[in-house]
Amino acid sequence: MAYVPPHRSRTEGSGDSSSSPVSSSRKGGDFFGHDDGNNSRDGYGSYGGNRGYGGNRGNRGYSGYGRGGRGYGEGYGQRDNGYGGRNGSYSRGDNKRYGQGSFTDGVHHPAPKNEKLERELFGDPAEEKAPSGINFDNYDDIPVEVSGEGTPDPINQFTSPPINELLLENIELSLFNKPTPVQKYSIPIVGSGRDLMACAQTGSGKTGGFLFPVLSSLFENGPSPVANEGNVFARRKAYPSALVLAPTRELAIQNFEEARKYAYRSWVRVCVVYGGSDINSQLRNLERGCDLIVATPGRLNDMLERGRVSLKNIRFLVLDEADRMLDMGFEPQIRHIVDGCDMPCAKDRQTLMFSATFPKEIQVMARDFLDNYIFLSVGKVGSTSENITQRILYVEDDEKKSSLLDILSATDDTLTTGLTLIFVETKKMADILSDFLISQNFPATSIHGDRTQSERERALEMFKTGRAPILVATAVAARGLDIPNVTHVINYDLPGDVDDYVHRIGRTGRAGNNGLATAFLNRGNRNVVKDLIDLLHDSNQEVPDFLSNIARESPSGRGGRGGRGRGRSTPYKDYRKYGGGNSGSSNWGSRSNGYGDNGYGYNNSSSGNGNGNSSYGSNNYSSASSSNSQWW
DNA sequence: AAAAAAT
C-alpha cells in the first residue's frame, strides 16, 4: 500500500485548519485576512472548480473522495481499473462517468456531448466572450524561421488539410478559429512524424502547438498495442502514450487544464502529477486510466520509482520550457526519465522540445533527445514592442514601498478592470510586500515556493478571478503562466537577467492587448542596465536619462554573463546551420560529428543517447550537473 | 544570489 509520510497526511485543501501547520494568518494570509478555517466560498481544490482531488472538506482518509462531480473521464469499456475492495468510495455520491470516449476495433468512438462537463471545461456559453482574447491580426507579421530536412509546408487553417474532427470541435469550443504561427508549423511537422525543436514563448499558442498535433495523432491511431507488462500489478500501473514535462507545478496544472479541454469526449484520459500535493490521490487517479500525463520531474520520478507509471508506451514526449527546466537544475532528473527508465528511444517516439531561448545546453539536449528534428523559431507576439509600454523609474530600495503605494493608488482604475502582477526577487520579500499591501488595504495575495501548494493554487485562483487583483510573485510565476487580463506588471525588484525581465513583462500585453510594465531601478541593478537599454531601444521605448547615465558610470562591457541571447527581435537560429558560434565552448565547437559548419550533416547522429558522442556525454555536461545534485 | 522541484 502506498506510503503516506506523516507530514503529508494533512489535507490538501486549506479547509482543515486544525491540521494545518500554519494556523496564524501570517503565512496563509491574504487580503481576506482570516486563514479560512472554512473556505467554502473558495471552492478551489486543485484544478479549478470545486472538484480537485481531495477537495476542501471532509477528506480525511478516503471517506470524502470522489464526491461532487469530479468524474471527468472514467468508465470507458475497455479500461478496467477496478480492483474492487479498496475503492468503494469511488462509486459513492454523484460520481458520474461522463465524458470519456473509447477506441475499439481500430475506431475512435467519442463520448456523447455532456453539457455539464462542457461548461466545466470551456466555461458557460451564456457568458459572452471575446474570441479567445486573441487578436489574430497581430500574428500575421510574426517572424518565423523554420529549418531542417524535408520541412513540410505550414497549414493556414485547421481545416486544410483537416485535423481530427473531434479535436477541431474542441478547438472551436475553446474559441480558437485560426492556428497561430507555431501551430501552423507544428501541426504538419508533428503530423508527418518528425521531431520538433521550437523556440517559442507563452503567448504564441505554444500549448496548442504541441497538444493539437499530439492529440490529433492519438485520436486517429488509438492506444498503443503494447498493453502492459503482463504482471499482476499492471493494472495499478499507468501506461501513458504521451508525456508532457513542465518546470513548475502551476505550469503543469495549466497544461493539464488545456489538455483536458482538447481531449474532451476522446479516448484519451489526461492526468497531472506534481509535488506538494497528496500523491495518493494522484495515484488513485492514474489507476483509473492515464493516456496523457502532465508532470513536474520530481513527482514523476517518484512514481516511476514506485513502479506506478511506465513509460514504455510513450509515443510523444514534450518538454515544455526546457531552458527553464535546465535553469532549475532538472537536467539529471529529465535525463533519468528519458534515458534511465523504460521510455522508447528517440527514434521510436516523437519528441517535441519547447524553449524560449536556445543556449548551448538546450542545443545539446535537443541533440540527445531529438531525432533529425525540425527547428522552428517564432518571434513573440507583441513581445516587448509597442503594445507593452515600459516605464523605468529610479527608486532606491528604501523608497520602493511608498512608490509602489503611489502607483497602485494612482492606477486604481486598473484594479477594477485588470490585474497587477508584482515581481520580487526573494520569497521573503514576497511575504513582506503582500503583508504590507494587505495592511494598507490593497487586495493582494502572493505566490512563491515556500507557500504550500494549496496556498499557491488558491492565490493564483484569487488573482485570476479578480478577488485579489494584486499578486506579489517570485520567479515561480515569471514564465509560462498564461493569466488573461494582467494589465500591469511591476518589477519591484529587477531580475539579474534581462531575459527574465522579458518573460516577466510578457505576462501583460498578451496577444494584442495593451499592457503597462513598470520597473524600479537603482544602482544595485547596474548589471542589467546595458541590456535593458538595448531592449528598450529594440522595442521602441523611451530610455530615461538616468539610465543612460548609469550605463556610462560602468564602462565595462555588459555586465554578467556573456553570449546571452542578443537580437531578441529576430528569432533564434538553428545552430546546425549557423555553426554554433558559441564563445569558448571547446567541447561543443570542436565536435566532429557534423554539427559544425558543414550544413546538414546532423541527420542520423542524434539517435538515442549520445552514442558516438562520448566526449560530450561524460565530460562536460554530466560533471557540471551532477555536482550539486543527489539525483543519479 | 535566488528560485524551483519528491520527501
Side-chain angles (χ1 to χ4, degrees):
Chain A
M1 186 55 76
Y3 145 85
V4 186
H7 62 286
R8 293 242 52 90
S9 66
R10 68 172 195 264
T11 57
E12 163 58 10
S14 49
D16 186 354
S17 61
S18 66
S19 65
S20 167
V22 182
S23 57
S24 81
S25 62
R26 172 65 182 80
K27 189 148 186 273
D30 50 38
F31 174 66
F32 302 93
H34 50 280
D35 188 28
D36 273 340
N38 172 5
N39 51 9
S40 55
R41 67 160 173 24
D42 174 16
Y44 188 64
S46 292
Y47 308 124
N50 54 0
R51 74 210 68 78
Y53 312 144
N56 286 336
R57 283 157 303 225
N59 55 352
R60 327 268 267 155
Y62 301 130
S63 60
Y65 185 72
R67 79 190 208 328
R70 65 180 300 286
Y72 41 89
E74 73 213 80
Y76 42 107
Q78 104 249 48
R79 196 68 64 128
D80 173 18
N81 51 25
Y83 44 95
R86 178 175 171 279
N87 60 352
S89 57
Y90 287 167
S91 56
R92 177 119 53 94
D94 56 345
N95 192 13
K96 294 201 178 55
R97 304 188 161 228
Y98 55 22
Q100 204 76 43
S102 66
F103 195 100
T104 49
D105 300 326
V107 183
H108 194 190
H109 306 283
K113 281 176 160 291
N114 179 298
E115 265 185 44
K116 185 178 165 194
L117 179 57
E118 208 165 290
R119 263 199 311 277
E120 179 189 317
L121 294 175
F122 301 98
D124 195 331
E127 295 172 21
E128 57 46 69
K129 260 196 220 136
S132 73
I134 289 182
N135 179 353
F136 285 95
D137 294 339
N138 285 353
Y139 280 101
D140 287 339
D141 50 351
I142 296 176
V144 176
E145 182 193 296
V146 60
S147 57
E149 244 177 33
T151 300
D153 290 334
I155 61 165
N156 279 307
Q157 301 174 66
F158 291 125
T159 47
S160 62
I163 59 172
N164 177 276
E165 192 184 332
L166 174 63
L167 180 62
L168 187 61
E169 284 183 42
N170 292 341
I171 291 173
E172 280 169 359
L173 280 172
S174 307
L175 304 179
F176 291 108
N177 47 32
K178 188 175 158 187
T180 68
V182 65
Q183 294 164 7
K184 287 179 184 177
Y185 285 88
S186 71
I187 289 172
I189 288 171
V190 180
S192 64
R194 298 293 297 276
D195 283 1
L196 173 65
M197 171 70 232
C199 288
Q201 300 173 12
T202 314
S204 60
K206 178 175 60 122
T207 313
F210 59 79
L211 288 178
F212 295 167
V214 166
L215 288 172
S216 180
S217 169
L218 292 178
F219 290 2
E220 297 285 332
N221 299 315
S224 180
V226 186
N228 60 49
E229 296 155 57
N231 76 45
V232 68
F233 298 112
R235 60 168 52 148
R236 297 198 60 192
K237 201 164 182 173
Y239 292 83
S241 301
L243 165 63
V244 178
L245 283 174
T248 66
R249 297 164 183 172
E250 281 74 16
L251 187 54
I253 293 168
Q254 182 177 293
N255 283 334
F256 164 73
E257 287 172 342
E258 288 299 297
R260 274 188 74 208
K261 291 186 196 177
Y262 306 127
Y264 170 53
R265 297 170 59 206
S266 78
W267 69 270
V268 175
R269 191 168 192 280
V270 184
C271 293
V272 62
V273 302
Y274 56 88
S277 92
D278 181 24
I279 194 172
N280 290 303
S281 50
Q282 292 179 1
L283 286 171
R284 283 195 300 271
N285 201 27
L286 290 177
E287 281 168 16
R288 309 163 86 195
C290 173
D291 306 301
L292 187 157
I293 186 167
V294 185
T296 50
R299 177 56 63 90
L300 178 61
N301 265 319
D302 190 355
M303 292 185 166
L304 288 166
E305 282 194 333
R306 294 176 189 223
R308 301 296 296 272
V309 176
S310 164
L311 302 176
K312 70 183 295 190
N313 275 6
I314 289 293
R315 296 220 297 275
F316 295 97
L317 166 65
V318 179
L319 299 165
D320 195 10
E321 303 274 347
D323 51 353
R324 180 112 177 93
M325 291 203 275
L326 293 199
D327 288 347
M328 288 166 59
F330 281 163
E331 182 159 1
Q333 298 185 44
I334 291 170
R335 287 196 179 259
H336 182 251
I337 291 167
V338 177
D339 289 341
C341 298
D342 55 352
M343 190 187 296
C345 72
K347 281 201 181 301
D348 296 325
R349 61 168 195 257
Q350 269 183 271
T351 309
L352 291 67
M353 223 166 105
F354 288 77
S355 178
T357 60
F358 200 48
K360 185 181 57 169
E361 298 80 10
I362 295 294
Q363 297 166 18
V364 163
M365 207 154 93
R367 212 208 41 162
D368 290 349
F369 290 170
L370 309 188
D371 177 40
N372 189 20
Y373 60 87
I374 289 172
F375 177 91
L376 179 63
S377 181
V378 182
K380 196 177 171 227
V381 185
S383 177
T384 57
S385 56
E386 53 278 355
N387 64 337
I388 301 176
T389 303
Q390 297 178 63
R391 180 171 68 164
I392 315 289
L393 305 176
Y394 190 91
V395 183
E396 295 291 356
D397 286 343
D398 56 6
E399 294 163 356
K400 283 182 175 178
K401 273 187 185 170
S402 71
S403 291
L404 181 62
L405 289 188
D406 290 347
I407 288 171
L408 292 178
S409 311
T411 57
D412 57 355
D413 58 320
T414 62
L415 288 187
T416 57
T417 62
L419 308 176
T420 299
L421 182 52
I422 303 173
F423 282 107
V424 295
E425 275 298 273
T426 65
K427 295 179 275 199
K428 194 169 168 225
M429 184 56 79
D431 277 336
I432 291 171
L433 201 54
S434 65
D435 285 353
F436 172 71
L437 290 175
I438 290 161
S439 76
Q440 301 295 312
N441 270 329
F442 284 97
T445 183
S446 71
I447 184 167
H448 63 72
D450 274 354
R451 301 200 77 187
T452 66
Q453 189 56 30
S454 57
E455 285 172 335
R456 284 165 56 161
E457 287 169 22
R458 199 162 81 88
L460 203 52
E461 180 68 7
M462 303 262 281
F463 184 56
K464 282 182 174 175
T465 58
R467 283 179 297 185
I470 299 174
L471 179 67
V472 184
T474 60
V476 69
R479 297 194 190 199
L481 288 192
D482 188 8
I483 304 166
N485 210 21
V486 174
T487 51
H488 195 179
V489 169
I490 299 176
N491 275 287
Y492 188 89
D493 300 319
L494 272 166
D497 186 326
V498 78
D499 281 338
D500 290 332
Y501 171 82
V502 173
H503 278 108
R504 290 181 179 186
I505 69 173
R507 300 309 98 202
T508 186
R510 303 192 51 72
N513 301 310
N514 291 326
L516 175 63
T518 305
F520 293 168
L521 182 143
N522 57 49
R523 284 185 169 70
N525 306 112
R526 66 168 70 81
N527 51 334
V528 294
V529 165
K530 285 193 166 64
D531 281 345
L532 193 54
I533 289 175
D534 289 352
L535 182 68
L536 292 173
H537 275 305
D538 285 354
S539 45
N540 250 334
Q541 301 288 308
E542 196 177 319
V543 179
D545 288 341
F546 74 85
L547 207 55
S548 314
N549 292 337
I550 293 177
R552 277 193 287 274
E553 289 169 14
S554 41
S556 67
R558 62 185 71 261
R561 12 242 288 240
R564 295 283 293 192
R566 309 296 329 131
R568 192 151 289 95
S569 53
T570 57
Y572 287 88
K573 300 296 185 201
D574 183 350
Y575 73 97
R576 300 174 300 188
K577 210 165 154 185
Y578 296 88
N582 273 300
S583 38
S585 79
S586 55
N587 226 349
W588 178 256
S590 62
R591 302 181 50 76
S592 60
N593 61 359
Y595 277 81
D597 44 20
N598 56 352
Y600 282 78
Y602 59 85
N603 29 1
N604 54 9
S605 57
S606 60
S607 76
N609 320 318
N611 37 0
N613 313 322
S614 56
S615 72
Y616 180 60
S618 47
N619 300 344
N620 189 354
Y621 142 70
S622 56
S623 60
S625 58
S626 60
S627 61
N628 61 350
S629 172
Q630 67 278 41
W631 277 82
W632 301 288

